[in-house]
């Protein structure tokens, strides 16, 4: 169970696996499927990356389907591509890459194409270098990209905080 707004809400399991159905970074919401229940105050954790988000609101949108309003966006940063060399790109901005922050996250283009990040680093305070698991087709210098934590189809974990 979990305590929220002074009331105890019973839950069937301490940890549940859900599948991301859709993501709205601008409104800090994620729609998930495959779970019976959830509640405000629980945590959503991206697997395997482990980023944690507090669930502020949970609205059931169908059978085993929920729209979760999170305390933070799953958008990790935006930048413009400076160069592309095989599976490696360089951005014209610094998206914090220390301590593996971007590892296993995704780069997404304006047309919705995405690729998983294998590793990333900040060679200086003005750039980010990203290496992909697999190359992102048709990516060219000058394109704007977004780094995001999760995409439809990903697995997330929902945990009670009690």
């Amino acid at each position: 169970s979990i305590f929220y707004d002074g009331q105890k809400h019973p839950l069937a399991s301490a940890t549940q696996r859900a599948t991301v159905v859709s993501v709205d970074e601008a409104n800090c919401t994620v729609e998930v499927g495959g779970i019976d229940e959830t509640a405000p105050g629980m945590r959503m954790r991206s697997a395997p990356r482990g980023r944690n988000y507090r669930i502020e609101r949970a609205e059931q949108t169908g059978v085993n389907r929920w729209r979760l309003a999170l305390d933070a966006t799953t958008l990790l940063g935006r930048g413009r591509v400076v160069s592309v060399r095989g599976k490696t790109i360089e951005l014209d901005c610094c998206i914090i890459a220390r301590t593996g922050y971007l590892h296993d996250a995704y780069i997404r283009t304006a047309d919705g194409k995405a690729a998983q990040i294998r590793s990333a680093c900040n060679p200086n305070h003005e750039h980010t270098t990203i290496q992909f698991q697999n190359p992102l087709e048709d990516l060219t210098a000058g394109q704007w990209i977004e780094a995001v934590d999760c995409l439809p189809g990903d697995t997330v974990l929902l945990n009670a905080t009690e």
Side-chain angles (χ1 to χ4, degrees):
S1 62
I2 188 168
F3 284 93
Y4 182 73
D5 282 343
Q7 296 180 0
K8 187 174 183 177
H9 302 271
L11 298 172
S13 171
T15 300
Q16 300 179 76
R17 289 185 168 282
T19 301
V20 175
V21 176
S22 65
V23 181
D24 181 349
E25 292 96 357
N27 290 303
C28 299
T29 62
V30 174
E31 190 164 339
V32 297
I35 57 170
D36 296 329
E37 58 189 340
T38 188
M42 291 181 69
R43 306 293 295 184
M44 183 190 91
R45 184 164 41 104
S46 58
R49 294 168 296 286
R51 283 187 197 84
N52 262 281
Y53 304 90
R54 185 176 191 281
I55 298 171
E56 299 289 327
R57 286 184 319 281
E59 172 191 354
Q60 191 163 13
T61 59
V63 176
N64 297 328
R65 207 161 160 159
W66 296 80
R67 181 175 299 114
L68 309 175
L70 307 176
D71 65 339
T73 183
T74 58
L75 176 66
L76 305 176
R78 289 187 176 103
R80 196 168 44 110
V81 176
V82 174
S83 67
V84 179
R85 294 179 312 281
K87 295 181 184 180
T88 303
I89 64 170
E90 185 171 346
L91 304 179
D92 69 347
C93 66
C94 181
I95 300 175
I96 300 298
R98 293 180 48 192
T99 66
Y101 183 70
L102 293 176
H103 294 196
D104 293 323
Y106 301 93
I107 291 297
R108 182 179 59 205
T109 61
D111 62 1
K113 292 179 186 172
Q116 193 164 31
I117 298 170
R118 188 175 108 205
S119 64
C121 68
N122 301 113
N124 55 45
H125 295 292
E126 298 173 354
H127 295 90
T128 305
T129 301
I130 294 172
Q131 191 170 58
F132 295 113
Q133 302 280 0
N134 298 301
L136 188 56
E137 299 297 323
D138 303 321
L139 191 61
T140 59
Q143 279 185 274
W144 283 89
I145 57 85
E146 296 177 327
V148 295
D149 186 25
C150 58
L151 293 173
D154 279 358
T155 298
V156 293
L157 304 175
L158 304 177
N159 301 95
T161 56
E162 186 179 315

